[in-house]
Amino acid sequence: MANTKTEGGEILSRLKSGGYRLTKIRKSLVQFILNKKGHWTIQDLVNDAKHLIPKLGVATLYRTVSLLHKENLLTETRLGGASARYEVSTQEHHDHLTCVSCGEIFEFENDRIEELQRQIAKKLGFKLIDHRMELFGECQRKPCKFKSKR
Amino acid sequence: MANTKTEGGEILSRLKSGGYRLTKIRKSLVQFILNKKGHWTIQDLVNDAKHLIPKLGVATLYRTVSLLHKENLLTETRLGGASARYEVSTQEHHDHLTCVSCGEIFEFENDRIEELQRQIAKKLGFKLIDHRMELFGECQRKPCKFKSKR
DNA sequence: ATACGTGCAAACATTTTGCAGCTCG
DNA sequence: CGAGCTGCAAAATGTTTGCACGTAT
């Protein structure tokens, strides 16, 4: 797929017409963030973006992420006392499997479940539009990347 | 229904055989918490439990809630907001089907889906602990009671 | 020019932890 | 008695905010 890395040009224009100023920092940050894969925390961003913009402050990261979240370009997930995790919003649907120990989030998709969901909705007289499913469990990886709370 | 308020006797014995000590504070706290309705925060608890146990410290609340959560007697939720919310776990699991037009919520349960969820978790190396599933659709009733909010 | 963006540090909010004393078993 | 529970305060996290200065428009 040629589209893995987006230039973000259209998104930048969209932000601009939304009344946001396009500073150098914001431009490279938005582009950087929207090209990130998986579920990351602000802390991840702090580490990764240091190379990009040496004197970047955390506040800017929080503010930028918040901005993108407000614009529905990022999806937020939270669990336990851990920090919020974000992922770039996608059209393609998927569900989440979250480790309650380490906070890691895995994605999955299962057609049979989706089919059953449609059946259930139908039986209850609904036309299914969307759904959200989140599983919680404990991953077997030792050690878990983060501290266990047990 | 005669069972709205539980004495918590069996739960206390269960905690006891689980190796926990039944101090006065813990007993009244557990009983108090498990009779709470709806989704509350620790902060709510701080306010409410002051009447119950005047010199109660926050740490004890956190520790007790954590204990009950570990014992699967409380379910934790964290939706975007700052602090975690808890609710008393119900044995009867159910999922939600929400009408995006009228806001009505239907509950359902489907064993096949639950089974598939377990399979998915297993395949991904997880021990499944809990899940949350919400379907969104349009019910056929016309007119719908509320405006669309989604 | 000026309103908005940024870095820095301080403030905040929530949750965890260390420790001395208390209590259950 | 002794391990576990408690309150208190301090600390650890994660996030927000005030302010002086910088930059896009």
Side-chain angles (χ1 to χ4, degrees), chain A residues 16-29:
Chain A
K16 187 166 186 179
S17 41
Y20 298 104
R21 285 193 183 171
L22 299 186
T23 62
K24 273 182 194 166
I25 289 177
R26 181 170 284 168
K27 275 193 283 191
S28 52
L29 211 43

Side-chain angles (χ1 to χ4, degrees), chain B:
Chain B
M1 41 186 82
N3 196 18
T4 16
K5 197 175 179 78
T6 172
E7 287 309 310
E10 46 184 315
I11 284 166
L12 289 177
S13 335
R14 173 173 151 192
L15 293 182
K16 186 168 185 177
S17 41
Y20 298 104
R21 285 198 181 170
L22 299 186
T23 62
K24 274 182 194 166
I25 288 178
R26 181 170 284 169
K27 274 193 281 191
S28 51
L29 211 43
V30 164
Q31 198 168 318
F32 177 70
I33 289 176
L34 293 184
N35 278 313
K36 252 183 131 28
K37 294 185 177 68
H39 297 73
W40 39 267
T41 61
I42 300 277
Q43 205 44 240
D44 294 334
L45 226 48
V46 169
N47 300 327
D48 297 358
K50 257 194 184 106
H51 311 287
L52 194 68
I53 305 160
K55 46 172 76 175
L56 183 63
V58 266
T60 301
L61 280 175
Y62 276 97
R63 290 186 274 229
T64 305
V65 166
S66 161
L67 183 167
L68 293 174
H69 183 222
K70 243 178 256 166
E71 294 297 318
N72 285 316
L73 293 166
L74 292 180
T75 305
E76 191 187 67
T77 316
R78 219 173 168 113
L79 293 173
S83 49
R85 283 178 177 273
Y86 300 86
E87 72 176 313
V88 177
S89 305
T90 50
Q91 13 313 67
E92 327 87 46
H93 168 74
H94 61 255
D95 293 299
H96 294 312
L97 172 49
T98 305
C99 175
V100 298
S101 294
C102 72
E104 192 77 9
I105 296 180
F106 294 81
E107 293 178 353
F108 67 88
E109 215 231 314
N110 185 291
D111 293 334
R112 307 249 327 265
I113 288 185
E114 315 259 325
E115 174 55 29
L116 285 170
Q117 290 176 335
R118 268 190 296 277
Q119 286 177 19
I120 290 166
K122 193 172 178 184
K123 187 150 51 173
L124 289 168
F126 273 67
K127 185 183 141 220
L128 190 58
I129 292 175
D130 194 13
H131 76 264
R132 200 161 302 147
M133 176 163 58
E134 196 162 3
L135 308 186
F136 301 98
E138 244 171 32
C139 72
Q140 312 294 287
R141 299 185 311 169
K142 323 230 187 244
C144 272
K145 289 197 297 196
F146 308 102
K147 280 231 158 251
S148 166
K149 43 165 69 168
R150 203 149 186 278

Side-chain angles (χ1 to χ4, degrees), chain A residues 89-104:
Chain A
S89 304
T90 54
Q91 274 77 2
E92 320 97 45
H93 167 75
H94 62 257
D95 293 299
H96 290 158
L97 173 47
T98 304
C99 176
V100 299
S101 291
C102 70
E104 191 76 7

Side-chain angles (χ1 to χ4, degrees), chain A residues 112-120, chain B residues 110 112-113 116:
Chain A
R112 306 242 337 258
I113 287 186
E114 314 258 328
E115 173 56 27
L116 286 169
Q117 289 176 335
R118 268 191 296 277
Q119 286 176 19
I120 289 165
Chain B
N110 185 291
R112 307 249 327 265
I113 288 185
L116 285 170

